[in-house]
Amino acid sequence: DQSETNQQAAYPETLDAIVLAGTDDNAKRMIQGQNKAFLEIAGKILVRRVVEALLEAGSVGQVFVVGPLDRLEAALGGISPRVSLVAQSGKMVANAWEAIRAAEAYQCEQGKPEDPHRPLLFLSCDLPLICPEAADDFIARCAMEDSRAEQDYSMHCGVAEEASLKQYYPEQGKD
């Protein structure tokens, strides 16, 4: 219900976001021989599109992008002081933990205490339709759900049915 989310509970602080930008080391995950994070859609590299949307979202603080560091630096270098690039350390779960450690270290550098319950926003790099409003809405819905729960959630997952996305599919022969 949209009116309900407009009166949302918010987290007390912005959430740090972790963007999983894949690896160049797993041939099975490549698309046409390339890490999908670096595919271009409408002239913009996919991982950059995701990071720019997060930077515009009011609910997102620091953005940690984990993946092949040299390629991330080429795609995102200098984009914003709010973006931290994290070198991949293996497969997805190892990379996620590397980014979590980087996010926690950043918070400690900012003088904040360690907090194992601090929520983080995790995203993959392959979200071509992401926009700041969608990120803010998802975070607000998570905060609202957390405020209603007796115990903190470990995870909220955002999914969309294919039917709801079909209107955004490119038409035959058009981008």
Side-chain angles (χ1 to χ4, degrees):
D1 178 23
Q2 187 62 38
S3 63
E4 190 175 342
T5 51
N6 287 338
Q7 300 171 10
Q8 60 228 359
Y11 289 109
E13 297 181 351
T14 57
L15 267 62
D16 289 342
I18 293 175
V19 179
L20 301 172
T23 175
D24 285 345
D25 297 336
N26 187 347
K28 291 186 276 183
R29 300 302 240 166
M30 301 291 181
I31 296 177
Q32 298 179 343
Q34 174 154 260
N35 177 336
K36 62 186 169 183
F38 304 101
L39 295 174
E40 280 193 26
I41 295 180
K44 191 172 282 194
I45 295 172
L46 192 50
V47 69
R48 187 175 186 97
R49 178 182 297 271
V50 171
V51 169
E52 285 177 352
L54 293 172
L55 290 172
E56 291 180 34
S59 303
V60 175
Q62 193 73 11
V63 179
F64 296 86
V65 187
V66 60
L69 197 55
D70 57 337
R71 297 191 68 198
L72 289 174
E73 287 171 345
L76 299 170
I79 190 171
S80 168
R82 289 179 41 217
V83 175
S84 298
L85 305 180
V86 181
Q88 68 185 25
S89 65
K91 293 185 179 178
M92 184 176 66
V93 173
N95 287 344
W97 277 109
E98 200 65 34
I100 291 169
R101 284 189 285 275
E104 288 303 314
Y106 176 84
Q107 291 299 323
C108 287
E109 288 169 11
Q110 302 306 306
K112 296 182 181 175
E114 281 190 37
D115 181 2
H117 299 286
R118 187 170 62 89
L120 296 166
L121 176 65
F122 272 84
L123 304 99
S124 66
C125 63
D126 58 348
L127 300 170
L129 301 179
I130 191 170
C131 63
E133 297 82 8
D136 284 335
D137 181 65
F138 180 73
I139 292 168
R141 289 172 187 265
C142 292
M144 184 171 47
E145 188 64 30
D146 277 344
S147 71
R148 294 178 182 164
E150 291 180 27
Q151 289 186 311
D152 292 340
Y153 283 94
S154 295
M155 181 184 329
H156 293 282
C157 296
V159 295
E161 293 181 20
E162 183 177 8
S164 68
L165 298 176
K166 282 193 176 190
Q167 67 180 335
Y168 301 105
Y169 286 6
E171 294 180 34
Q172 188 92 18
K174 296 181 180 179
D175 284 342

